[in-house]
Amino acid sequence: MTGVQTCALPILGNSVHITIAEILKNLQITGKVISLDEAKETAVNKFEILIQNKPLIEKRLGFKLKPEEREKIRGQIKTSMTTFYGSKWLTMMQDMPRDMWDNWHIDPDGYGEFRIEGKKAYAKPDLLFEYKDGRHYLVEWKT
């Protein structure tokens, strides 16, 4: 495979997705956010763990990652983390009163059925929360 199209690689999105969810869960519990550099390193490490089983990746996806493709993916992972840290979502969540943090739904389990103020909703968002102004947000990372 030449000119790897990383958007087609689930491992790229998975490493970023998992890292963002962990960052928000950590914020929810401790009130702290890891540094951007630590977030980038964590996401890249998750990518490396996911591709350690090369025969599985090669068999499932039908190609071997060349060193330059692997490096390109690492760069895209770092860019994705930088984008998240620069997004309004992290700022909004840090800005919310702490007593609202327990109501965050970060990467919720299940198949997309949940309730908002007693009303049934169907979606599989990566994040669902009510902001301090009373509006509800459904967020998809699009990693």
Side-chain angles (χ1 to χ4, degrees):
M1 175 177 198
T2 57
V4 68
Q5 295 180 5
T6 55
C7 62
L9 294 175
I11 51 179
L12 166 64
N14 285 347
S15 60
V16 172
H17 180 95
I18 293 165
T19 302
I20 291 172
E22 288 176 357
I23 289 166
L24 293 177
K25 288 175 183 175
N26 187 60
L27 171 62
Q28 190 178 36
I29 294 166
T30 68
K32 297 178 183 174
V33 174
I34 63 173
S35 71
L36 174 57
D37 287 337
E38 189 176 348
K40 289 178 184 179
E41 182 180 336
T42 299
V44 167
N45 287 341
K46 288 185 185 314
F47 164 72
E48 295 296 338
I49 290 167
L50 288 168
I51 64 167
Q52 276 180 358
N53 190 352
K54 287 184 182 182
L56 175 63
I57 297 299
E58 292 167 6
K59 185 176 179 182
R60 278 188 60 206
L61 301 179
F63 66 90
K64 291 182 181 183
L65 284 175
K66 296 176 184 171
E68 61 271 11
E69 294 169 334
R70 200 166 165 163
E71 191 57 38
K72 181 178 179 181
I73 292 169
R74 286 187 196 108
Q76 289 177 311
I77 289 169
K78 291 175 183 178
T79 298
S80 293
M81 295 311 303
T82 300
T83 300
F84 174 71
Y85 269 68
S87 73
K88 67 181 179 181
W89 306 117
L90 186 57
T91 302
M92 286 174 71
M93 298 190 80
Q94 289 175 299
D95 188 44
M96 291 172 58
R98 188 99 187 224
D99 63 337
M100 295 183 78
W101 292 8
D102 288 339
N103 296 323
W104 295 349
H105 299 279
I106 303 164
D107 198 19
D109 292 331
Y111 294 100
E113 179 183 319
F114 55 91
R115 298 197 178 264
I116 301 173
E117 295 178 357
K119 295 177 183 152
K120 193 181 291 187
Y122 295 94
K124 183 64 174 139
D126 294 324
L127 172 65
L128 168 67
F129 68 97
E130 179 183 0
Y131 192 56
K132 61 186 178 181
D133 63 4
R135 290 186 286 174
H136 291 86
Y137 290 87
L138 293 148
V139 182
E140 170 66 37
W141 309 140
K142 291 297 177 201
T143 56

